[in-house]
Amino acid sequence: MTRDFELHAIESKTVANGQSVHIPLHRHEQLAEWLWVESGELELIANAECLTLGTGALALIPPGQWHALSFASSSEQRYQRLLVTHPLESANDTICFAYPAHPAFLASVMDELARELQQANPASSRQVQLLLRWLYGTAAKPQSVPAQTAIPSKMESILHQMEETCHLPFSLESTAAASALSKFHFSRHFKKSVGQTPLQFVISCRMERARQLLLTSEQSVADIAGDCGYKSPTQFHAAFTRHSGSTPKRFREHLTTLEAKR
């Protein structure tokens, strides 16, 4: 038996002429991310490669896949992102792309999903299930996987925001306020659902991003420190060493040595 799809978030963004948007390297552990480029071009960085998605592109990024997004606009551009519980997996768990033949119909699907998300319980909506299965059938040929224990829907929305913004200063008060809970009740609920405190989760996201950048990029340790939310390389060095048992430099050198032996 497989889990139903569950729609957690829809983000619609218009990038005005001369503006830019950059969503830094991140991943979602349990959610699939859908991208639809309504107009313009979007750069998707994944697996150390930069891919350009043109107008009409629909992409499925499976859970756990590291990626970054960038719009550099010379004219008005628009994209939409959906975060969805992922009960199915694509072959080899890779990013899938498609250019649907009927963009007007795709636009109506996105609009309907946005309306359904405003309902009291969109997870139980048959309409959401049908629309999301149409998306999966358009861009991927999924296979069934066993049911898994799910994190509560409201907490998933908080988690994906924390994953994407882990490089920014963390405020327990504002994060709890977004959940309409006190700091005490939010922290208790978060620890019960995730197994970590909110701050521990943010730090783990930063460390995972740091390891990925050390592995796949040629950025300096100082630049990686900034990209992961640390004010100084010294602060980052201490946090990484404490979390990983190795300095950033030694971690990268070890990986380089392993790659050279292959």
Side-chain angles (χ1 to χ4, degrees):
M1 182 177 180
T2 59
R3 292 161 52 193
D4 284 340
F5 294 100
E6 186 172 348
L7 180 62
H8 291 274
I10 295 179
E11 177 191 38
S12 298
K13 182 76 174 182
T14 299
V15 185
N17 184 13
Q19 295 184 347
S20 62
V21 169
H22 179 67
I23 301 174
L25 192 69
H26 68 282
R27 65 177 178 180
H28 304 295
E29 289 285 0
Q30 297 193 35
L31 299 180
E33 181 171 330
W34 282 94
L35 289 169
W36 179 41
V37 184
E38 290 188 61
S39 62
E41 291 185 344
L42 181 150
E43 288 188 349
L44 170 62
I45 297 92
N47 299 321
E49 295 183 6
C50 182
L51 307 171
T52 299
L53 305 182
T55 298
L58 180 66
L60 166 61
I61 303 170
Q65 177 69 255
W66 286 97
H67 62 286
L69 307 172
S70 182
F71 261 113
S73 178
S74 58
S75 60
E76 185 173 280
Q77 303 180 10
R78 181 175 171 81
Y79 69 89
Q80 292 198 44
R81 293 198 302 154
L82 282 69
L83 276 295
V84 181
T85 296
H86 190 69
L88 308 172
E89 64 179 2
S90 57
N92 301 320
D93 217 25
T94 56
I95 297 175
C96 300
F97 304 93
Y99 281 84
H102 304 287
F105 180 70
L106 178 55
S108 68
V109 168
M110 295 294 188
D111 289 342
E112 183 61 28
L113 284 171
R115 284 191 290 269
E116 289 290 328
L117 189 61
Q118 302 304 313
Q119 302 302 313
N121 191 8
S124 64
S125 168
R126 177 172 171 77
Q127 182 77 344
V128 166
Q129 300 304 309
L130 292 172
L131 293 173
L132 290 176
R133 288 186 184 281
W134 180 85
L135 278 180
Y136 273 85
T138 299
K141 297 183 181 297
Q143 302 170 343
S144 296
V145 295
Q148 301 173 355
T149 301
I151 290 175
S153 174
K154 290 183 179 180
M155 190 57 68
E156 282 284 16
S157 299
I158 297 295
L159 286 177
H160 93 255
Q161 288 291 338
M162 293 170 73
E163 287 169 331
E164 292 186 0
T165 61
C166 66
H167 60 293
L168 301 177
F170 174 68
S171 168
L172 177 60
E173 185 173 5
S174 61
T175 306
S179 303
L181 295 172
S182 68
K183 290 190 293 184
F184 173 77
H185 286 95
F186 174 76
S187 296
R188 186 173 65 176
H189 182 55
F190 191 99
K191 180 68 179 290
K192 181 179 179 181
S193 299
V194 181
Q196 295 177 294
T197 67
L199 182 58
Q200 286 172 337
F201 180 76
V202 169
I203 292 173
S204 69
C205 289
R206 290 178 175 181
M207 293 298 102
E208 287 296 323
R209 180 181 290 178
R211 281 192 284 266
Q212 186 69 9
L213 289 171
L214 288 166
L215 174 64
T216 62
S217 78
E218 295 182 357
Q219 287 181 259
S220 68
V221 171
D223 287 342
I224 291 174
D227 286 346
C228 294
Y230 291 93
K231 295 179 180 179
S232 71
T234 301
Q235 185 186 47
F236 169 66
H237 184 281
F240 189 91
T241 303
R242 183 169 56 251
H243 193 273
S244 303
S246 172
T247 67
K249 182 179 179 181
R250 287 179 180 173
F251 179 82
R252 174 176 268 172
E253 289 174 346
H254 178 64
L255 292 174
T256 302
T257 301
L258 290 178
E259 288 295 323
K261 290 180 178 178
R262 291 180 181 177

